[in-house]
Amino acid sequence: MAFTLWSLFEATLLCLNAVCVLHEERFLSKIGWGANQIQGFGEQPTAKSQILNLIRSIRTVMRIPLIFLNIVTIIVKLILG
């Protein structure tokens, strides 16, 4: 199996799907990464809060494009094998 652009696309798609599936109340709050992490105004954001913001923004922005990309990937896999 060669490292192709398609395999890179699939790996990226799988990682984005994994981030979007993470549930904040059921999974992230159990490990201490819940939505109740409050940061004061003017404070430097920590790495943890930046990761949480990244997860939330990926979930918000990539919801509709991920549905489309998953459908395209499934169709291509069905046609080309």
Side-chain angles (χ1 to χ4, degrees):
M1 184 168 99
F3 184 73
T4 62
L5 191 60
W6 179 254
S7 62
L8 183 64
F9 170 75
E10 282 184 328
T12 305
L13 185 66
L14 286 172
C15 289
L16 286 174
N17 281 327
V19 168
C20 287
V21 168
L22 290 176
H23 194 272
E24 231 173 290
E25 294 171 6
R26 281 191 267 169
F27 177 72
L28 293 176
S29 66
K30 287 184 181 179
I31 60 172
W33 287 29
N36 56 1
Q37 305 291 330
I38 299 172
Q39 182 178 346
F41 181 73
E43 294 180 9
Q44 290 293 324
T46 62
K48 183 178 173 181
S49 67
Q50 287 181 344
I51 291 172
L52 285 174
N53 284 335
L54 179 67
I55 290 172
R56 286 185 196 114
S57 62
I58 287 174
R59 239 188 280 143
T60 303
V61 173
M62 292 299 292
R63 181 172 291 150
I64 302 301
L66 270 177
I67 293 170
F68 173 72
L69 290 174
N70 283 322
I71 290 171
V72 168
T73 303
I74 290 170
I75 291 172
V76 168
K77 283 289 197 179
L78 285 174
I79 292 174
L80 300 177

